Amino acid sequence: MHSPGHRFQAQDRFADGAQYIAGRLVKGTSGRTHAVVDPATGDEVYTYELAGTADVDAAVAAARAAFPGWAGATPGERSDALHRFAAVLADRAEEFARAESLQCGKPLKLTREFDVPGTIDNTAFFAGAARHLQGQSAGEYSGDHTSYVRREPIGVVGSIAPWNYPLQMAAWKILPAVAAGNTIVLKPAELTPLTSLLFAEAATVAGIPDGVINIVTGAGRDAGEHLVGHPDVAMTSFTGSTAVGRRVAEIATATVKRLHLELGGKAPFVIFDDADLEAAVHGAVAGSLINTGQDCTAATRAYVQRPLYEEFVRRTADLMAGVRLGDPFEPGTDLGPLISYAQRDRVAGFVDRARGYARVVTGGEIPQELKAGAYYRPTLVADAPQDSEIVQAEIFGPVLVVLPFDGDDEGIRLANDTPYGLAASAWTRDVYRAGRATREIKAGCVWVNDHIPIISEMPHGGYKASGFGKDMSAYSFEEYTQIKHVMFDNTAVARKDWHRTIFGDR
């Protein structure tokens, strides 16, 4: 496995603590410690003091104190700060890539070519978007008044991010919030705090004022719930499982907060009988294995029209079997470990239970040569019933389930037959089939002849149990701004005609 010289030295880098409050690193005050574990080796790489409720209170107070100044900055000033932020991130790209690979087990080629560049691009996008917080054009809609719409920041945002894409999720939470003039307290997953801390530090280096971006690293049941329920937090944004999202919603609605939820997914991958089979096979393997399958938009259910079904199963299994597992820091590695041994065992449990009712075509095992880490072989499961656990439940691992369908109606019906609706893809050469699929599949994103690509300019968010609200794009400002209607009387008449409906006569 990778030598210490190749690793991000977290214990040294964050010796002052894993809380970033008012522009500096401090230690948590919960009285409990937590270890960040390299999932490729099982080694503890950073041990820190968890945040307690007092740390959340301090972070919220710092964000509240910073809010008037940041909200009062001009759009151009916020834009300039975010442009500087993007430049700092670009200068530190390799440090971010190594830290993300270390804490997550992601292959370095993925963090260098996907996680980090995507975050830099997202920062640059919001630097520009900060100047375009537009409302409806002014107009005399009543005839006697001029109306216009203002967008105003909400206040202090309390956000909770997951462990699967710690850097990108930190960016998706922080950037639209601060571009719109809010301040923020982010709680990253305690498993993966390193790049969130680096992100906040880089913001300070870029000149973003102290207290605008704060990080508290603590457990969900104390730090997380305290943040969501805090009376000085005006909005909560959460990305994670649907089950935890329900709990977040329960706490947030008790204090009447703005709420944004990006929850689980079970993305269908629908292959019609006129599809380019080679493209579909390659897309299915890449789309199901990205981030070791720990992606809520990953391809998880491949529905293949019957004429292509057996060949798709065979070719996909062959391609999966050639995927190279190994040290995330080695250039030849395609797939890293899962985030933890517990997650690996959870994934293995789904596959083992499926052996009783489906066919495991390839994979389905822990590689013995890598058993020190949380590795699991890429797995293809065929012939499972539509109502089975492995088809309906979110696995969050390198597992693709393949089922056949006959007519187009059946394919679209099966694609929609889960509680989730985050992402989907349709594979066909027929523009009318593609158009129908994009209209009728209930998901926040539907790709045609591809699966996974995201861009800063386009929104990300789900339907149904996958949550509501959008990350990225200018649409995200709908989450992070208050809409205010301003109305001016144009008549200078003291006694308005409508007053007679309350008192007096015409």
Side-chain angles (χ1 to χ4, degrees):
M1 278 296 162
H2 42 271
S3 67
H6 289 164
R7 308 200 313 182
F8 175 83
Q9 300 301 315
Q11 203 68 55
D12 296 334
R13 188 71 172 75
F14 299 122
D16 292 333
Q19 319 305 323
Y20 197 81
I21 300 172
R24 66 189 185 96
L25 288 165
V26 294
K27 296 184 185 300
T29 62
S30 70
R32 294 181 291 120
T33 60
H34 186 82
V36 175
V37 174
D38 176 355
T41 63
D43 296 337
E44 294 185 2
V45 296
Y46 181 53
T47 302
Y48 64 94
E49 296 82 1
L50 287 163
T53 56
D55 304 301
V56 173
D57 291 341
V60 171
R64 187 179 181 188
F67 175 70
W70 185 248
T74 67
E77 288 168 339
R78 290 199 293 268
S79 175
D80 289 346
L82 289 169
H83 277 300
R84 295 193 302 270
F85 190 12
V88 173
L89 295 173
D91 287 343
R92 300 184 174 188
E94 183 66 11
E95 181 182 40
F96 276 92
R98 290 186 176 277
E100 194 81 333
S101 289
L102 180 67
Q103 68 181 352
C104 299
K106 298 171 186 271
L108 194 57
K109 68 177 182 180
L110 181 65
T111 59
R112 280 175 172 166
E113 298 178 31
F114 182 74
D115 298 72
V116 176
T119 300
I120 295 168
D121 182 74
N122 211 227
T123 307
F125 169 80
F126 279 106
R131 290 180 178 265
H132 298 284
L133 283 165
Q134 297 174 342
Q136 189 172 354
S137 298
E140 287 69 47
Y141 299 98
S142 78
D144 291 337
H145 305 81
T146 296
S147 289
Y148 67 88
V149 170
R150 290 176 54 89
R151 283 189 183 270
E152 297 180 350
I154 295 170
V156 177
V157 178
S159 292
I160 300 176
W163 47 255
N164 59 331
Y165 288 103
L167 175 60
Q168 292 202 77
M169 293 297 99
W172 287 14
K173 300 298 183 197
I174 290 169
L175 293 170
V178 301
N182 302 285
T183 56
I184 190 166
V185 179
L186 173 76
K187 192 198 87 66
E190 55 267 43
L191 292 173
T192 55
L194 305 181
T195 46
S196 297
L197 296 169
L198 289 176
F199 195 71
E201 277 192 327
T204 298
V205 171
I208 293 176
D210 293 349
V212 172
I213 299 172
N214 306 274
I215 308 294
V216 290
T217 309
R221 287 199 176 274
D222 39 51
E225 293 197 1
H226 189 63
L227 177 62
V228 173
H230 200 289
D232 291 333
V233 169
M235 173 186 167
T236 291
S237 177
F238 170 80
T239 296
S241 71
T242 299
V244 178
R246 291 190 186 99
R247 175 61 178 157
V248 169
E250 178 185 337
I251 298 169
T253 53
T255 50
V256 199
K257 295 185 188 335
R258 178 78 67 86
L259 184 61
H260 169 220
L261 298 174
E262 197 263 86
L263 306 175
K266 190 71 177 174
F269 189 101
V270 183
I271 304 169
F272 295 98
D273 58 11
D274 67 330
D276 180 332
L277 186 59
E278 182 178 10
V281 167
H282 282 79
V285 173
S288 63
L289 298 186
I290 186 170
N291 204 36
T292 317
Q294 299 166 127
D295 185 314
C296 48
T297 64
T300 59
R301 300 177 289 138
Y303 295 103
V304 186
Q305 204 152 18
R306 205 170 293 276
L308 300 181
Y309 180 72
E310 291 299 340
E311 188 176 0
F312 175 85
V313 170
R314 179 182 59 79
R315 292 174 64 172
T316 301
D318 288 346
L319 190 57
M320 271 192 174
V323 171
R324 299 165 297 180
L325 282 67
D327 182 347
F329 285 78
E330 290 298 326
T333 294
D334 297 322
L335 200 70
L338 291 146
I339 190 64
S340 66
Y341 300 115
Q343 181 65 12
R344 179 198 65 188
D345 294 345
R346 179 179 179 275
V347 171
F350 275 102
V351 177
D352 290 344
R353 290 189 295 275
R355 295 180 197 278
Y357 55 78
R359 174 167 53 109
V360 177
V361 183
T362 191
E365 62 183 11
I366 296 167
Q368 290 305 299
E369 70 276 15
L370 294 168
K371 63 182 180 181
Y375 289 87
Y376 195 76
R377 290 201 189 281
T379 301
L380 186 68
V381 177
D383 307 331
Q386 174 65 16
D387 62 356
S388 62
E389 174 192 54
I390 205 163
V391 174
Q392 293 292 323
E394 188 173 31
I395 300 170
F396 231 53
V399 179
L400 177 64
V401 184
V402 190
L403 297 87
F405 71 92
D406 292 305
D408 291 15
D409 290 352
E410 183 186 18
I412 291 174
R413 179 181 62 78
L414 292 171
N416 286 328
D417 184 29
T418 72
Y420 301 106
L422 187 58
S425 63
W427 297 74
T428 176
R429 291 182 172 96
D430 186 322
V431 66
Y432 298 104
R433 266 180 162 170
R436 180 188 178 189
T438 61
R439 290 191 304 273
E440 296 186 12
I441 293 176
K442 304 304 181 186
C445 174
V446 181
W447 293 283
V448 177
N449 295 328
D450 208 345
H451 194 108
I452 285 295
I454 53 174
I455 50 175
S456 297
E457 291 83 358
M458 289 291 113
H460 173 88
Y463 286 24
K464 303 189 292 185
S466 291
F468 48 82
K470 299 299 178 185
D471 289 312
M472 300 197 298
S473 83
Y475 291 99
S476 65
F477 288 136
E478 302 294 337
E479 318 304 321
Y480 293 99
T481 54
Q482 299 272 23
I483 302 299
K484 177 184 286 185
H485 171 215
V486 178
M487 193 178 217
F488 286 88
D489 171 60
N490 294 330
T491 66
V493 174
R495 186 175 179 183
K496 306 291 193 294
D497 186 57
W498 70 268
H499 291 176
R500 70 182 173 83
T501 64
I502 311 302
F503 65 93
D505 300 317
R506 186 183 293 275

